[in-house]
Each structure stands twice: as C-alpha cells, then as structure tokens.
Amino acid sequence: MNLKSRGEVLLPHRSFLSQRWMIFLCIGSFCAGMLFTNRMWTIPEPKGLARTTAMEAEKLNVVSEGCNSRILQEKEVKRETRSIYKEVFKTQNAMQTLDKTISNLEMELAAAKAAQESIRNGAPLSEDIKAVESTPRRRYLMVIGINTAFSSRKRRDSVRQTWMPQGEKRKKLEEEKGIIIRFVIGHSATSGGILDRAIEAEDRKHGDFLRLVNNVTLCHVFLISWLQFLKEKLADCVKNCGLILQDHVEGYLELSAKTKTYFATAVNLWDADFYIKVDDDVHVNIASYSLFTPFSATLGETLVRHRSKPRVYIGCMKSGPVLSQKGVRYHEPEYWKFGESGNKYFRHATGQLYAISKDLATYISMNRHVLHKYANEDVSLGSWFIGLDVDHIDDRRLCCGTPPDCEWKAQAGNVCVASFDWTCSGICRSAERIKEVHRRCGEGEKALWNASF
C-alpha cells in the first residue's frame, strides 16, 4: 500500500542551503578563483624578446598583405620619395652651412685687414696679431698705371725717354717720393705666345710692367678647393693674400674690364693714397718747380691738396653724348639705358688721365664681380661711383692741349698736369711728338727731385 492510499500527504524535499546563500557561495568561489589564478599563474614576460619596431611592423604588414604587387609598388614609391626629401633637405643644410662659413671667413679676413691697418697706425696689438704681421706695408703717395697695348712699344719708349724716370731713378722715386709708375698690360688671346714673350723680354730689360695675368694666390686655392682648412690657414692667408692678380685678355673692347682689373690689382699690391690711370700717349708733369711758378700745382701737389678727403675722384669732368649709331667710334650698345636719343652721359672724368683715392679703389676691388662695364671705360668708372657719396674734383689742368696751349699756360704760371690733343684723344703721333711736348711744356728733371709732397 502506498502512502497516498494510506492518506498521508507528501511535502516537497527542503534544501539544506537557501537560494540566497547559494548565490553568495558562487560569487565567493569565483572571486577566490580569480585571486588564486592571478597570484599563482602569472606568465612571465620572456626575456630578450624585442618589441616589434615600426619598420618590422611595416614588413609584417606587407607579408600579411600577400603578393599584391600594386600595394608593394606604392609603398616602395613612398619610401623612395621620403629618401629623396631627406637628401634634398641635407643638401640645403649643407649649402646654408657653406654660405655661412664663407661669410664668417670674409668677416675674419676683413678683421685681419683691419688689424693690418692698426699696425700701420701704431695701435697696440696682441701677440697673435703681431705674429701674423711681421713687416708692415710701405705707404705710398700715388700709383700711376700707364695703360698700354702690345703694339705700343714705340709709345712706351717715348714715355721712358721723357717724363717717366728709368732704372735707379725710378727706384729712388718710389723710395724717396712714394710714387710708383708702371705700364699696365694683360696677356694675349693665346697666352704665352709671341706677344707675351715680347712683353716679358721688355719687362726683363726695364722692370716697369704691371702684368694683369692669371696668378691664383694661396687664398684662392683655399676658397675653391680646401675651404674646410681655411680657418686653420687664415694667418698664412692674411700674409699671402695681399697680391690678388686677375686674368685680363687685351683688346680694345675690353678697356672697361682692364680698368677695373688694374685698380683691383694695384690696391692689393701697393698701399697708396691715390691710384691714377693714364694713357701711354699723354704727357704728364708729376711735380713742378720753376722760378716763375714755385707754388704751381701739378699731379703730386694736386693730389696732396685732396689727401685728407674721403672718396675723391679727380679728373677733367665731362658729359658727352650717348652715341647710339652702330659703326661709329665710342658707340654705346646700351644707349637705351640713358634715356631718349640725343641724351648725354652723367658727369665723369675723361679717360686720358684720372685719379681716385684709396677707398674708391678698394670699393672697386671688393665689388669688381658686380660692377657693370659699359663700352667706354671712362663711362664705366663714372657709373661705379654714381650712387656713392663721392667728391668729384674737376681740375682742367689735367686736360691741357699740346703746344702752344700748355706752353702759354706754363708761362702764365699755370703749369699743366697732363697735355694731349682732343682730336686724337691723346698726343697725335705721340711716339714722334711727345719729346717736343716735353721740351716745351715739361717740368724739367730737377723739379721732380726738388718737390716735396
């Protein structure tokens, strides 16, 4: 008999733990398991395992992308482009560094030249500067450059026989009076040819040439080839860079270039108050002394009167017409720069003889690479000073005529500095006539040695 039949009611079986406690037990077990796992089963990081770099990640990415050639090509192009940008950036930095280095070296060289000037002026110097400069340069009154050509041998000989002292007298003139005189000439188009050899032979005989030839000095070599060593050799450069001769090819159309090269070379060779350019068919009285004109002003005395002035430009000032017609003498190809047809040039000294002070010659030397050359050399010289604060001295004694003009002026007490014929832009047939001009208008040999500047 079952219980039901027996009339007994069955009650459901009651759990020993309530439902609430069961939940708490589960949560506690879970937390205990997590705590146990973190403490006992911490996986140590393997030692020596390098982290993936950006480049390796990029490589892994390429591998994961499979053999997709288009993606690979695009990434390669980007990589090459970045490399090119880096190289360009490096090149620009290198160029900027080089420019800065050159600028610094120029400043140091200018400072060294200033130190040389201090030595000449007697300023106290440090032992380093004294070691660089052992023998200060001699200061001269003037440097006279006689512009000549290969075909002008007879003209040169006529000048040597008249107003230009020769041999020991020329050396005495340099030592006692501070006057340097040289014939100025470059080289022929075929350097080392028969024309150059003839000038070299003439120079060996007389020793009175200033050759504008290619002579690269130590400083040039450093600047061009060994810039990185220039600072270490700066002391040697200061000693040896005083002589900066330039390359000049003779030619009538190159007179402006020759004038610029002459002044740039002369100011580096000789430290003088004035630098003069004169043609080889002009008669010059360097100094004058006579019973009638004991205080007359010729070249030396004229320059002395202006010695204390800065930036002096002395000559017979003129303003001739700008010739635009081709084929005529003194044609100016750049006539359009001077305005309308029929205009005149700005005021400038006539080309037979003019003088400039040392600071102007230095200006030409420092800026020779950017100074523009016109067809006529006297115009070019005037144009280089047109924008500067320059004192233009117009002295008509620098452009007297040949006898009887210069003779009459000398008798009247106004001895001429230079004499020539305007019609010939020099003494007509000067090789034959300059002796007569010298006899009638010259100062005499005693005048030069009795003069004191």
Side-chain angles (χ1 to χ4, degrees), residues 379-399:
V379 173
S380 295
L381 184 71
S383 70
W384 300 338
F385 304 148
I386 198 67
L388 305 180
D389 186 11
V390 174
D391 190 1
H392 289 61
I393 307 296
D394 184 14
D395 194 330
R396 311 314 293 183
R397 285 172 296 216
L398 274 66
C399 53

Side-chain angles (χ1 to χ4, degrees), residues 362-375:
T362 303
Y363 172 80
I364 294 175
S365 176
M366 296 178 61
N367 300 279
R368 59 188 179 275
H369 299 301
V370 296
L371 295 178
H372 185 69
K373 303 185 294 293
Y374 289 101

